[in-house]
Amino acid sequence: MTATAPRIDQVFDLDALLTEDEREWQQRARTIAQERIAPIIEDDFENKHFRRELVKVMGDAGFLGMHLKGYGCAGAGAVAYGLVCLELEAADSGWRTFVSVQGSLAMSAIHKYGSEEQKQRWLPGMAAGDLIGCFALTEPQGGSDPAAMTTVARRDGDEWVIDGAKRWIGLASLADVAVVWARVDDPSGAYGEGGSAVRGFLVPTSTPGFTATPIDGKLSMRASVQCDLDFDGVRVPAEAMLPGASGLSGPFGCLNEARYGIVWGAMGAARSCLEAALERSVTREVFGKPIGANQLTQAKLADMFVEVEKGVLLALHLGRLKERGALTPAQISVGKLNSVREALEIAHQARSILAGDGITNAFPVMRHAANLESVRTYEGTDEIHQLVLGRALTGIAAF
Ligand code: TGC
């Protein structure tokens, strides 16, 4: 007895909840993910290779900063952007991460807080995929507490001089420009918070004193690049400061954008794991019948399916709220926490259905599981999002 596994998203008819434009964005991303990423991703993961030439493909497709308006950006809606994240992460979290770092973090920072001159200088090239940006917030002593930031920018005449270090900064060794968050040391107090406000600076990566070193030994996100950064007397002109952001609400406003993309993206990785398990459950026979004929396997598949559908529906609800300008950070925390936690559980369940072969790269499942450990950690760990929600529920900050 065999059966043909239906396409997961057709079972629930999610298409009926989308506009034609959104379906087109999703299909474009699905095509690129399946035709350009899927065929090479196992080798790239194995060989720790970030395929630079695909950056231009992402730019030509309109995915980079696609939710932003003007400056060569597509001006698409939040749901369309989420669907693109979902399809890219169904291929690999590293490629969704690239689109997030470029569009949701680096480009968003410039678009939200930059001067007109800064926007004109950087955004069109970044949208086209001709320039790469990175977002330097996290520091080596711990990413969960940006308030403990020690990277400092001192005013010297018409320049800022930046000293310090950052860690886990995506794409930094390939980037043309870094959005660097630093605490200003300015006794005059002209730059906010008694002279020690966190401010953002646009630093061309060719600036003397700027060093980006890829972090080696990663067993996760191997087809993308994360770096240690060192700033040793990095001098930038006064105009390099982002005029529109003062305080941590600046970088947090960008994290909101990236976390939103993860709500969708993680469900793409989850869908990919479910598809692999489903296909295997009707083609692999053990004890004289397909493993999908066992009630225990069907229970696992059903639970995985329920969580994928719930996760996508939650993402869609958050996307519609975002399009109305009504999405709150606490709601984003619900989505980020749920999507990544459930995607990891789905990856583990899929691996168990695939049995021994599930640990090989004949299937995408272990790669997704390994990648999701990173996704679970960056942009706020599970615990950080639990604390954000705990504060929203009780009114008491427990961090
Ligand atoms: P607190 O220091 O009290 O608040 C500072 C100011 O920020 C405001 N704020 C937010 N604004 C917008 N959106 C949010 N989600 C915000 N959260 C806080 C807040 O209202 C306050 O504003 P103001 O004007 O009153 O000064 O911070 P908090 O107590 O609210 O938050 C504490 C906590 C733990 C929730 C926060 O520190 C946190 O979210 N920590 C996690 C940080 C994080 O996610 N780090 C990972 C970064 S990943 C990354 O950098 C790139 S990874 C991709 C790559 O490069 O590859």
Side-chain angles (χ1 to χ4, degrees), residues 225-243:
V225 179
Q226 286 77 34
C227 296
D228 279 314
L229 296 188
D230 186 61
F231 305 89
D232 182 11
V234 173
R235 285 183 175 268
V236 288
E239 313 84 75
M241 179 185 271
L242 292 170

Side-chain angles (χ1 to χ4, degrees), residues 14-96:
L14 281 164
D15 278 5
L17 303 174
L18 305 175
T19 66
E20 191 180 332
D21 182 56
E22 289 162 348
R23 285 196 292 270
E24 281 172 12
W25 277 108
Q26 180 176 21
Q27 188 53 50
R28 191 181 313 165
R30 187 186 289 243
T31 301
I32 288 176
Q34 293 183 352
E35 293 182 358
R36 304 299 300 270
I37 303 175
I40 48 85
I41 193 61
E42 296 298 348
D43 282 349
D44 285 359
F45 189 88
E46 175 81 15
N47 299 323
K48 300 185 283 185
H49 179 53
F50 176 75
R51 205 167 281 258
R52 177 75 171 77
E53 60 268 30
L54 284 183
V55 170
K56 190 65 186 150
V57 172
M58 300 291 164
D60 289 345
F63 298 159
L64 304 179
M66 65 175 273
H67 60 301
L68 304 174
K69 289 194 170 56
Y71 308 98
C73 304
V79 170
Y81 174 54
L83 290 161
V84 167
C85 288
L86 184 148
E87 293 299 336
L88 294 179
E89 195 149 357
D92 192 69
S93 299
W95 278 101
R96 196 272 309 144

Side-chain angles (χ1 to χ4, degrees), residues 97 101 105 135 137-138 143-147 168-171 193 225-226 247-249 252-253 255-256 259 329 377-381 384 388 391 399:
T97 298
V101 171
L105 293 175
F135 186 85
L137 174 67
T138 296
S144 291
D145 186 14
W168 294 119
I169 308 308
L171 281 306
E193 287 178 23
V225 179
Q226 286 77 34
L248 278 172
S249 57
F252 286 158
L255 293 190
N256 290 340
R259 290 167 176 173
T377 305
Y378 68 37
E379 307 293 355
T381 59
I384 284 293
V388 168
R391 178 176 61 179
F399 36 79

Side-chain angles (χ1 to χ4, degrees), residues 16 29 42 57 76 82 85 94 121 125 136-137 146 150 214 234 263 268 270 272 275 277 317 332 389 398:
E42 296 298 348
V57 172
C85 288
R121 177 174 176 192
L137 174 67
T150 60
V234 173
V263 178
S272 170
E275 283 170 345
H317 175 58
I332 296 172
L389 293 173

Side-chain angles (χ1 to χ4, degrees), residues 62-373:
F63 298 159
L64 304 179
M66 65 175 273
H67 60 301
L68 304 174
K69 289 194 170 56
Y71 308 98
C73 304
V79 170
Y81 174 54
L83 290 161
V84 167
C85 288
L86 184 148
E87 293 299 336
L88 294 179
E89 195 149 357
D92 192 69
S93 299
W95 278 101
R96 196 272 309 144
T97 298
F98 166 70
V99 168
S100 288
V101 171
Q102 176 89 345
S104 291
L105 293 175
M107 292 177 72
S108 265
I110 299 170
H111 197 273
K112 278 177 199 284
Y113 310 126
S115 66
E116 187 57 33
E117 192 189 342
Q118 290 169 335
K119 292 177 195 181
Q120 296 286 359
R121 177 174 176 192
W122 296 108
L123 290 177
M126 293 171 82
D130 295 327
L131 298 174
I132 294 179
C134 66
F135 186 85
L137 174 67
T138 296
E139 301 204 340
Q141 73 277 8
S144 291
D145 186 14
M149 182 180 299
T150 60
T151 297
V152 68
R154 289 186 189 83
R155 186 78 182 199
D156 183 18
D158 287 341
E159 294 180 319
W160 289 99
V161 185
I162 303 173
D163 287 283
K166 301 282 178 181
R167 185 159 168 80
W168 294 119
I169 308 308
L171 281 306
S173 57
L174 300 161
D176 299 281
V177 62
V179 178
V180 179
W181 299 96
R183 195 172 287 292
V184 297
D185 178 3
D186 172 60
S188 76
Y191 298 96
E193 287 178 23
S196 63
V198 169
R199 302 294 304 246
F201 298 86
L202 298 184
V203 179
T205 54
S206 56
T207 309
F210 178 99
T211 311
T213 308
I215 296 171
D216 207 358
K218 288 182 299 157
L219 300 177
S220 169
M221 305 278 272
R222 287 167 63 90
S224 82
V225 179
Q226 286 77 34
C227 296
D228 279 314
L229 296 188
D230 186 61
F231 305 89
D232 182 11
V234 173
R235 285 183 175 268
V236 288
E239 313 84 75
M241 179 185 271
L242 292 170
S246 178
L248 278 172
S249 57
F252 286 158
C254 303
L255 293 190
N256 290 340
E257 302 290 335
R259 290 167 176 173
Y260 167 77
I262 292 171
V263 178
W264 285 92
M267 283 297 112
R271 188 190 72 194
S272 170
C273 293
L274 173 54
E275 283 170 345
L278 196 47
E279 203 272 338
R280 182 76 159 176
S281 72
V282 294
T283 54
R284 165 115 163 127
E285 293 198 4
V286 177
F287 292 115
K289 60 185 179 186
I291 53 176
N294 294 306
Q295 290 182 358
L296 286 175
T297 304
Q298 291 198 3
K300 288 180 187 175
L301 292 169
D303 288 349
M304 293 155 75
F305 178 67
V306 166
E307 291 307 328
V308 170
E309 295 304 322
K310 279 161 60 181
V312 173
L313 285 172
L314 174 59
L316 183 61
H317 175 58
L318 298 185
R320 295 291 180 228
L321 287 174
K322 192 171 192 319
E323 287 171 347
R324 296 209 310 265
L327 184 62
T328 67
Q331 290 166 334
I332 296 172
S333 286
V334 173
K336 203 273 182 182
L337 176 64
N338 180 75
S339 281
V340 187
R341 193 164 60 182
E342 294 305 327
L344 254 173
E345 178 57 25
I346 287 166
H348 294 153
Q349 290 293 348
R351 212 290 307 155
S352 77
I353 290 173
L354 297 171
D357 293 340
I359 69 163
T360 73
N361 67 2
F363 296 95
V365 172
M366 281 293 278
R367 178 169 49 79
H368 281 310
N371 285 339
L372 287 165
E373 291 292 344

